[in-house]
Amino acid sequence: MENVPGCAEPTLRVSQTHFPVETLGPGRRLGIWSQGCGLACAGCMSRHTWEPSGGASRTVSSLLGLWREALARGADGLTVSGGEPLDQPGALEALLAGAVRARAEAVAPGGPAAGREIDILLYTGYEEEEVEADAARSAAVRHADVLVTGRYRVAEPTALVWRGSANQRMRPRTARGRARYQEHLARTESGPRLQMVEGDGDVRLYGVPRRGELVALERRLRRAGIALTAASWRP
């Protein structure tokens, strides 16, 4: 967690945000990607999120503003990934605690999402025992309905939905999480698992690719006469 001069509000180093994300949890979701990852898993598609000084510093209140806007626009959930979110546990706890409060306001009678089931999904490369052994990490994850844990292992591909390698575990932590994710715990997916979005001078991919999917995409682009000047999954 960083301290902004003259401001006591917690801030989170963020790579990017996007709404709607449709490949990282059920439905249309607000995605927030933290910046900085000390785990540096081989084969990661998001190497641009590793450097702690990259991205931008965002106040938790500004990110919660995006969440409230997404809720008003019909969001089905919030997904926080990275980078490694638990490398900034204090700011992450503030963000997720605020997200829970904002959700409660939105689903209350008269709210913009009244009566709807909306979940919070958190990705981490840490194993569950590594999370539980650290007080700050444990405090942060208690606000998540579902936690996906484990390093990405490029040599252990999986067809399980919303997971990148076979060792990763999807763990519902609340009644809401169990109700929304129970049917997905063993569900597999055979088709493309990436969402392509045109950015400001770039193309962004959201999701968890199947093994070889990124290489196949590069080949299709080359055949179409499109050359990548930089790819986040390349060293």
Side-chain angles (χ1 to χ4, degrees), residues 1-182:
M1 181 165 57
E2 300 178 12
N3 292 318
V4 177
C7 178
E9 182 180 359
T11 64
L12 186 73
R13 199 79 189 176
V14 172
S15 173
Q16 59 186 291
T17 64
H18 183 73
F19 178 81
V21 175
E22 300 175 348
T23 50
L24 289 171
R28 302 167 71 249
R29 312 175 67 83
L30 172 65
I32 298 176
W33 288 264
S34 67
Q35 181 71 33
C37 179
L39 301 178
C41 298
C44 175
M45 71 172 288
S46 303
R47 295 174 63 96
H48 64 293
T49 67
W50 290 3
E51 175 53 53
S53 63
S57 185
R58 297 286 300 270
T59 63
V60 166
S61 63
S62 72
L63 295 171
L64 291 175
L66 294 180
W67 176 225
R68 292 187 178 91
E69 291 175 13
L71 289 168
R73 294 170 61 188
D76 296 299
L78 168 66
T79 296
V80 180
S81 187
E84 175 46 64
L86 287 178
D87 282 354
Q88 302 178 73
L92 179 65
E93 181 184 10
L95 172 65
L96 296 187
V100 169
R101 291 192 295 270
R103 176 180 62 188
E105 295 169 0
V107 302
R116 291 183 24 229
E117 287 297 321
I118 297 167
D119 71 270
I120 298 173
L121 169 62
L122 173 64
Y123 280 86
T124 176
Y126 289 106
E127 303 294 344
E128 188 167 29
E129 56 268 24
E130 292 178 302
V131 174
E132 293 175 350
D134 185 279
R137 294 173 190 160
S138 295
V141 304
R142 69 184 179 187
H143 303 291
D145 296 301
V146 181
L147 185 63
V148 176
T149 61
R151 312 291 198 274
Y152 171 65
R153 297 178 184 170
V154 68
E156 300 180 24
T158 182
L160 290 171
V161 68
W162 306 324
R163 277 148 286 183
S165 55
N167 64 295
Q168 293 180 331
R169 296 290 179 263
M170 181 182 291
R171 305 177 186 276
R173 299 175 60 85
T174 66
R176 177 183 286 105
R178 289 186 287 274
R180 295 210 77 192
Y181 284 79
Q182 187 61 44

